[in-house]
Amino acid sequence: MARRLFSLCVSREKKRRRTADPTDKMAVDGGHRNSGCDWDGRWNHVRKFLERPGPFTHPDFEPSTESLQFLLETCKILVIGAGGLGCELLKNLALSGFRLIHVVDMDTIDVSNLNRQFLFRPKDVGRPKAEVAADFINTRIPGCKVVPHFKKIQDFDDSFYRQFHIIVCGLDSIIARRWMNGMLISLLSYEDGVLDPSSIIPLIDGGTEGFKGNARVILPGMTACIDCTLELYPPQINFPMCTIASMPRLPEHCIEYARILQWPKENPFGDISLDGDNPDHIQWVFDRSQERAAEFSITGVTYRLTQGVVKRIIPAVASTNAVIAASCAMEVFKIATSAYIPLNNYLVFNDVDGLYTYTFEAERKENCSACSQVPQDLQFPPSAKLQEVLEYLTENASLQMKSPAITTTLEGKNKTLYLQSVKSIEERTRPNLCKTLKELGLSDGQELAVADVTTPQTVLFKLNFTT
Amino acid sequence: MAATQASKEQKYDRQLRLWGDHGQETLENAHVCLVNATATGTEILKNLVLPGIGAFTIVDGHTVSGEDVGNNVNLAFMLQNRAQAATELLQEMNSDVSGNFVEESPDKLLDNDPEFFHRFTIVIGVHLPESTCMRLGSVLWSASVPFLVCKTYGLIGYMRLVVQEHTVIESHPDNALEDLRLDQPFSEFKNHIQSYDLDSMDKKDHSHTPWIIIVAKYLEKWLSEHNCQAPKNYKEKEAFRQIIREGIFRKNENGVPEDEENFEEAVKNVNTALNPTKVPTALEDLFNSEQCNNITSQTPAFWVMLRAVKEFVHNEGSGSLPVRGTIPDMIADSQKFISLQNIYREKAMQDTAAVSKHVERLLQSVGKVCCKNASFLRVVRCRSLAEEYSVDSVNKDEITSCMDSPDSEMVFYLMLRAVDRFYQQHSRYPGVYNYQVEEDISKLKLCVNSLLQEYSLNVNIKDDYIHEFCRYGAAEPHTVAAFLGGSAAQEAIKIISHQFVPFSNTFIYNAMSQTSATLHL
């Protein structure tokens, strides 16, 4: 079933004819193609996988000289992120024959990117990553047309995403991943409860941290999505406030004390928030942390540690990003050309001790809040306070929402029960948190619509009163 | 200059958090040699230039072809010498690195000046024909220069590490057990435990006592009641956990035990806390090795330090390694935690000083880092290529046992060997041109059979693989080259920095299934 759908979704704009000619006496070298900038032999390495039959190819694969044309002229790929993974992805795709590539990244280049984001140079510091990356690739790899977008993924709507055949992510944020995941799920169309395969846009997702990485293939609506496997991403651990405030033991506790408690109180640079990229701010935190540490005879506070804690820095090297981006690009190629059966569906990599890879099939969750279409259940007694519902939405391992906004329909009118992100609405709705569900006028079976940064669409929950 | 140092700190910040300033220094003092600037080769080098190796030299006699520019981001124009072309674009990536090139085939260099290769920290040989590879391997083996052989062949990636003996002090293991000495508390620790009286504490102190102290106290009691036998099986450990649970401070009014997180931590950590302190077997083996027991003026520092640690174990340590000196974070108030931490730290310092005395005795300089990592010292040894390829010493067992599993990557190793054989016979690789694919299948099959026969390997290789390898036509798709580029670069960094553990000795990557294997050949 999966195999059939692959070729359907990829061949949306692809016209194939049987032109296999394995007895062609011409060298593969005879590459005089339509595009003017394709010199002799340019695509030799790629063409062997597109124009020759083989024993391990995808069952739907047909050798053809048209496949290369599809890659060069028609196949549209979206790369999310132009950082450690993004730079590598753009290069890998461009050298595999993809030319119509868009790249989205909201960041500008920082000096600390230069140890691995090889499309950038010291002179580029401060410029938008997407633009510099696109420039480099388009110049170095003739014919490639990377279109940059110095934007957040949330700045685009479904009409933007719909134009791509495949989307590949090199993000450093779980929230952004979930949002992207949600967006592609929202593009799916069902006819009489059956998923229309041409509405599926495959999502290849890569992630790295130090010497560890993973790459996965997601067919929204068909295979495990990001939210199906949310437990694989454990929530970030924050130190308890009482430890920070009155019994620090580690240098990190001293740094958090300066960041969370002292900075807002003393406002050393005026009424502005702490900027991890401002060396003066970090220096201030470092100095205060050292004082705190001395008070408790704690050793180990360094400038580097201070910066690491304040900015939540994740160590990174070129090599891990190279490996994971290579795996991801390989999958993009397989799906776009049906050359081989794609990864099914999750690869884990670790080169701390030798080199270790593990490949497995992540399973779909039957009641996944993102992709299962099963209405989500909320079980609470009518005497429960709204605060408890809020905590459930944020703390439950399968939901892990960040700042959910809860609305419902009461007496035919839309009512916001609680919303955190807009100050005036937060203040107005805060009293609701202490009210019980019954006091708020909610009834058994009531539908609650929850919006959150982790998803572009609201999630519908059904309230089930327990006794 | 201060300014350059500061900007280097910033630039390399993300990687300094992995291997530290001392690791970075080893990289900056390294000179890497790349033989053949193919896509795989330049991708590997790119991932070494970016983190700031001191210098590289590319040896390559080829001219850049259209095919080369098509799959390599570090080449831009045809007809240049490939070594020079790649050097220019790689050099441009990081001004801290100095790049050199030699426009010469490695065979010529080996003919005229084999000692050329002695100067390098590591040599990376990419897409070398078998004969060149063996020659270069032999020169590097005699000179004790680490050699990393890499190849992208179709959708298969291959790496072979050739190093006689590679020592690792800082292996940075992922899930190391703590070194708490609860089963054999040293005297300072014992005294510290004595200073606590759980029964007479107030509630605040009671619930902020480190779990290590709690377990130590209850263990003391248990030992006195059980003939000095620590809890051993599940039943006993569970009984021990229960006793600790019952120690939770009771609320006076109702007698219901309140939550005391530190006691919960104690219960949770009983299993690991009761792990006996002992010298790991791998380390015992190293203690018994020839290098450790036969220290001469030529002995590298690693073995001198290891011997000093061994002497410590047999003397001051009374059978145990130097104390590591670290404890995990745990619920406690600052004063109790820090004072406990200091007990371990000071003991570690004492033990280090004792080891240093042994080292001095063995005429070398101090190794503080060695003590902290004593439990995790590693040595990697690889066989030479000559041993791997010789009929007398080929690892038949490894090959045949792997081939028993239908999905083993070993089949790709054998196919790569067969393809090398094809090249030797026909001076070309199979299936490069479309018209050759069909005819070369039978020729390649002959190579496969002669290979299996020569080594008396009673294994079966399906025709599908032979067909597939003809289909590959020695293609080097960029995605596979990039995968190897990252993998090989990190292994080279491990060799240069002596941190983290390199693979041994053969790595195969299968991009068709996104699987890999490490083989011992």
Side-chain angles (χ1 to χ4, degrees):
Chain A
M1 170 68 164
R3 303 180 323 195
R4 198 121 170 77
L5 287 161
F6 273 128
S7 68
L8 275 177
C9 89
V10 159
S11 62
R12 274 203 327 254
E13 294 174 46
K14 196 171 163 186
K15 290 161 208 135
R16 283 160 165 265
R17 282 178 301 163
R18 278 200 89 89
T19 56
D21 189 6
T23 62
D24 183 9
K25 272 202 162 20
M26 274 187 72
V28 175
D29 255 6
H32 52 283
R33 293 287 149 193
N34 298 337
S35 317
C37 53
D38 280 344
W39 54 86
D40 253 21
R42 181 176 191 183
W43 301 113
N44 279 358
H45 295 288
V46 175
R47 285 167 63 190
K48 284 166 191 170
F49 296 97
L50 302 178
E51 297 172 6
R52 299 175 172 193
F56 298 120
T57 58
H58 194 291
D60 290 338
F61 175 74
E62 290 169 12
S64 160
T65 50
E66 307 258 306
S67 307
L68 180 61
Q69 293 316 112
F70 172 69
L71 294 184
L72 293 170
E73 294 164 12
T74 315
C75 188
K76 236 167 159 183
I77 308 288
L78 175 61
V79 175
I80 314 260
L85 284 169
C87 288
E88 290 283 323
L89 282 168
L90 290 171
K91 158 186 69 78
N92 295 343
L93 293 170
L95 291 176
S96 299
F98 296 93
R99 283 189 161 150
L100 305 172
I101 306 173
H102 285 236
V103 62
V104 176
D105 194 310
M106 62 184 198
D107 269 337
T108 55
I109 298 163
D110 180 70
V111 166
S112 66
N113 300 147
L114 301 178
N115 81 327
R116 63 201 184 280
Q117 298 170 26
F118 75 99
L119 300 177
F120 313 141
R121 297 290 174 272
K123 65 170 169 52
D124 298 321
V125 171
R127 287 185 59 199
K129 288 189 178 185
E131 291 171 15
V132 178
D135 270 342
F136 190 111
I137 295 284
N138 294 340
T139 310
R140 183 63 64 85
I141 303 176
C144 196
K145 298 183 268 285
V146 179
V147 176
H149 301 276
F150 177 34
K151 290 209 155 82
K152 302 200 292 289
I153 49 174
Q154 292 88 351
D155 291 336
F156 297 103
D157 63 17
D158 52 283
S159 62
F160 174 76
Y161 292 107
R162 242 185 253 282
Q163 61 179 301
F164 298 102
H165 290 91
I166 301 171
I167 298 182
V168 55
C169 289
L171 288 163
D172 59 0
S173 140
I174 297 169
I175 293 176
R177 274 190 180 86
R178 291 176 70 184
W179 192 94
M180 204 55 236
N181 183 62
M183 167 53 74
L184 295 189
I185 290 169
S186 75
L187 298 180
L188 298 174
S189 63
Y190 292 82
E191 284 160 24
D192 299 322
V194 177
L195 177 58
D196 171 15
S198 70
S199 66
I200 300 175
I201 299 180
L203 174 65
I204 317 293
D205 180 66
T208 63
E209 197 173 304
F211 296 122
K212 303 186 176 139
N214 58 73
R216 61 192 298 186
V217 172
I218 295 172
L219 299 178
M222 282 182 58
T223 62
C225 79
I226 302 280
D227 281 53
C228 289
T229 57
L230 212 48
E231 289 91 15
L232 288 178
Y233 305 99
Q236 197 174 51
I237 299 169
N238 289 315
F239 303 115
M241 269 316 288
C242 57
T243 303
I244 296 174
S246 49
M247 21 192 109
R249 299 178 297 266
L250 305 177
E252 287 85 343
H253 299 158
C254 302
I255 296 166
E256 289 289 70
Y257 179 81
R259 178 180 79 89
I260 300 174
L261 295 174
Q262 285 180 299
W263 178 282
K265 197 161 145 204
E266 297 179 37
N267 275 324
F269 295 90
D271 190 16
I272 51 172
S273 15
L274 173 50
D275 176 7
D277 292 317
N278 185 329
D280 291 332
H281 291 199
I282 299 288
Q283 185 66 43
W284 187 91
V285 173
F286 175 49
D287 291 338
R288 300 284 88 69
S289 308
Q290 283 186 306
E291 284 164 15
R292 176 97 172 144
E295 240 186 278
F296 291 86
S297 307
I298 295 171
T299 59
V301 174
T302 61
Y303 186 91
R304 188 177 289 162
L305 184 68
T306 304
Q307 209 181 25
V309 170
V310 170
K311 292 176 72 171
R312 298 281 196 262
I313 290 176
I314 296 175
V317 281
S319 54
T320 321
N321 283 303
V323 168
I324 295 300
S327 304
C328 289
M330 183 77 241
E331 293 308 311
V332 174
F333 182 83
K334 284 180 190 170
I335 292 176
T337 62
S338 293
Y340 289 84
I341 297 174
L343 170 67
N344 184 20
N345 55 39
Y346 203 113
L347 164 73
V348 169
F349 172 84
N350 183 340
D351 64 355
V352 167
D353 188 339
L355 298 119
Y356 170 79
T357 65
Y358 176 60
T359 313
F360 68 100
E361 183 177 346
E363 285 177 359
R364 274 190 93 181
K365 211 194 243 177
E366 270 177 27
N367 60 343
C368 174
S369 59
C371 77
S372 71
Q373 294 199 298
V374 166
Q376 299 297 296
D377 227 13
L378 281 177
Q379 309 239 1
F380 286 94
S383 57
K385 303 211 168 72
L386 186 63
Q387 175 73 39
E388 289 169 55
V389 175
L390 194 72
E391 276 164 13
Y392 173 78
L393 293 172
T394 52
E395 287 163 22
N396 177 277
S398 311
L399 294 175
Q400 289 186 49
M401 294 193 162
K402 296 299 159 197
S403 55
I406 312 172
T407 57
T408 191
T409 311
L410 281 174
E411 290 154 13
K413 281 196 293 218
N414 201 13
K415 180 171 176 180
T416 304
L417 294 173
Y418 182 68
L419 189 145
Q420 206 172 347
S421 48
V422 178
K423 199 165 170 195
S424 56
I425 306 181
E426 199 280 326
E427 282 172 14
R428 178 169 62 75
T429 56
R430 201 187 305 157
N432 288 343
L433 293 176
C434 302
K435 296 200 181 132
T436 66
L437 303 179
K438 189 160 175 226
E439 283 169 351
L440 288 167
L442 304 174
S443 44
D444 188 30
Q446 180 115 19
E447 246 183 22
L448 301 179
V450 181
D452 188 51
V453 288
T454 51
T455 165
Q457 287 188 304
T458 48
V459 184
L460 289 177
F461 288 85
K462 204 158 171 193
L463 200 48
N464 278 330
F465 279 159
T466 58
T467 41
Chain B
M1 254 185 32
T4 358
Q5 193 46 44
S7 68
K8 264 199 200 176
E9 278 250 356
Q10 281 183 297
K11 179 160 78 168
Y12 298 134
D13 178 83
R14 300 301 187 266
Q15 69 203 37
L16 292 174
R17 290 167 192 277
L18 291 166
W19 52 65
D21 297 309
H22 60 297
Q24 185 65 26
E25 204 182 316
T26 63
L27 291 185
E28 292 177 12
N29 290 330
H31 190 168
V32 175
C33 177
L34 170 70
V35 181
N36 283 334
T38 64
T40 307
T42 58
E43 282 294 309
I44 297 171
L45 210 46
K46 153 182 141 289
N47 295 326
L48 291 171
V49 165
L50 288 169
I53 49 165
F56 67 84
T57 297
I58 302 183
V59 172
D60 194 343
H62 294 92
T63 313
V64 179
S65 71
E67 235 180 47
D68 287 333
V69 184
N71 79 344
N72 193 338
V73 78
N74 297 300
L75 291 174
F77 304 108
M78 291 180 269
L79 304 182
Q80 263 188 301
N81 163 260
R82 207 163 64 173
Q84 179 173 12
T87 299
E88 283 165 10
L89 290 182
L90 283 166
Q91 167 81 88
E92 184 266 327
M93 252 188 232
N94 189 348
S95 54
D96 295 338
V97 179
S98 88
N100 314 282
F101 62 91
V102 174
E103 285 180 35
E104 185 92 83
S105 79
D107 277 310
K108 268 277 191 50
L109 263 182
L110 287 166
D111 287 336
N112 301 329
D113 180 23
E115 290 184 16
F116 168 81
F117 293 102
H118 292 192
R119 77 196 66 186
F120 299 112
T121 321
I122 182 171
V123 173
I124 302 174
V126 166
H127 298 122
L128 297 170
E130 188 176 316
S131 53
T132 316
C133 193
M134 301 301 288
R135 284 182 75 194
L136 184 52
S138 162
V139 164
L140 297 175
W141 185 264
S142 316
S144 296
V145 174
F147 184 29
L148 184 59
V149 181
C150 301
K151 197 180 311 197
T152 296
Y153 201 92
L155 291 190
I156 303 299
Y158 164 88
M159 291 202 293
R160 167 64 152 101
L161 179 63
V162 192
V163 64
Q164 286 182 43
E165 181 182 279
H166 176 81
T167 58
V168 184
I169 293 179
E170 292 174 278
S171 57
H172 301 282
D174 258 343
N175 291 309
L177 293 173
E178 302 284 347
D179 182 26
L180 301 177
R181 304 293 166 112
L182 282 161
D183 59 333
Q184 16 168 289
F186 44 92
S187 57
E188 295 87 341
F189 184 27
K190 266 205 211 133
N191 292 341
H192 189 74
I193 299 168
Q194 298 312 355
S195 71
Y196 280 86
D197 181 4
L198 291 175
D199 295 326
S200 71
M201 283 179 164
D202 68 19
K203 165 113 174 78
K204 187 148 192 250
D205 277 333
H206 195 260
S207 55
H208 288 93
T209 298
W211 71 254
I212 291 178
I213 303 286
I214 295 173
V215 172
K217 279 292 201 191
Y218 282 95
L219 188 58
E220 250 178 21
K221 192 151 184 285
W222 175 285
L223 290 173
S224 69
E225 292 168 2
H226 288 81
N227 203 13
C228 294
Q229 296 291 323
K232 280 194 177 48
N233 50 42
Y234 177 78
K235 195 163 160 207
E236 289 176 359
K237 288 183 186 174
E238 192 43 45
F240 185 60
R241 274 190 280 265
Q242 190 52 30
I243 293 174
I244 297 178
R245 274 189 207 106
E246 283 162 12
I248 291 175
F249 211 77
R250 284 170 194 280
K251 213 174 175 170
N252 288 334
E253 294 94 80
N254 349 12
V256 172
E258 281 193 333
D259 277 342
E260 286 197 287
E261 271 186 84
N262 57 333
F263 272 75
E264 279 169 31
E265 273 189 335
V267 168
K268 210 165 69 171
N269 283 293
V270 158
N271 260 337
T272 50
L274 294 179
N275 264 329
T277 303
K278 64 172 193 265
V279 177
T281 327
L283 192 55
E284 284 283 8
D285 291 340
L286 291 182
F287 283 166
N288 293 331
S289 69
E290 224 243 285
Q291 294 94 321
C292 180
N293 292 309
N294 205 2
I295 305 290
T296 71
S297 59
Q298 299 304 309
T299 307
F302 176 88
W303 294 106
V304 176
M305 289 194 283
L306 187 81
R307 172 65 175 277
V309 171
K310 178 182 176 177
E311 298 297 321
F312 174 92
V313 169
H314 291 159
N315 293 294
E316 299 91 337
S318 307
S320 298
L321 292 169
V323 164
R324 194 175 309 155
T326 56
I327 57 172
D329 189 29
M330 60 193 72
I331 307 274
D333 63 47
S334 312
Q335 187 272 328
K336 291 190 182 58
F337 180 81
I338 300 297
S339 56
L340 178 63
Q341 192 181 54
N342 284 337
I343 294 289
Y344 283 90
R345 272 192 190 162
E346 277 152 23
K347 180 71 166 110
M349 272 164 55
Q350 256 181 54
D351 288 355
T352 301
V355 172
S356 299
K357 280 226 156 57
H358 287 292
V359 170
E360 273 175 53
R361 251 190 350 97
L362 296 162
L363 305 171
Q364 268 291 350
S365 57
V366 178
K368 177 174 163 192
V369 178
C370 194
C371 289
K372 197 161 99 155
N373 287 278
S375 221
F376 315 124
L377 302 174
R378 298 279 294 272
V379 177
V380 171
R381 294 188 179 94
C382 306
R383 302 205 307 162
S384 67
L385 290 174
E387 288 175 87
E388 177 186 337
Y389 281 60
S390 156
V391 173
D392 299 323
S393 51
V394 62
N395 194 346
K396 273 179 77 169
D397 287 340
E398 173 86 347
I399 296 174
T400 46
S401 67
C402 285
M403 287 300 284
D404 279 339
S405 322
D407 295 322
S408 171
E409 271 75 19
M410 181 60 83
V411 66
F412 299 111
Y413 167 73
L414 294 172
M415 284 312 306
L416 289 172
R417 291 287 304 269
V419 152
D420 273 345
R421 202 159 268 236
F422 187 105
Y423 185 86
Q424 266 176 330
Q425 284 173 26
H426 305 274
S427 298
R428 65 178 178 85
Y429 286 105
V432 173
Y433 294 108
N434 282 350
Y435 72 89
Q436 293 172 327
V437 180
E438 282 294 321
E439 347 173 319
D440 283 348
I441 291 177
S442 47
K443 293 196 184 95
L444 183 57
K445 186 156 188 179
L446 287 175
C447 293
V448 170
N449 290 337
S450 85
L451 176 79
L452 298 180
Q453 217 170 35
E454 182 179 326
Y455 290 99
S456 313
L457 291 168
N458 192 10
V459 300
N460 179 42
I461 294 182
K462 292 204 280 234
D463 283 347
D464 279 347
Y465 292 104
I466 300 174
H467 179 183
E468 182 75 353
F469 269 67
C470 283
R471 177 185 190 240
Y472 286 160
E476 190 188 8
H478 185 84
T479 44
V480 186
F483 189 100
L484 268 198
S487 306
Q490 190 50 36
E491 297 309 303
I493 288 174
K494 290 176 185 178
I495 296 289
I496 294 168
S497 68
H498 287 269
Q499 290 189 40
F500 307 95
V501 184
F503 75 105
S504 178
N505 58 29
T506 300
F507 176 78
I508 305 267
Y509 166 63
N510 176 358
M512 294 188 285
S513 58
Q514 297 274 27
T515 53
S516 73
T518 300
L519 313 169
H520 311 282
L521 294 164

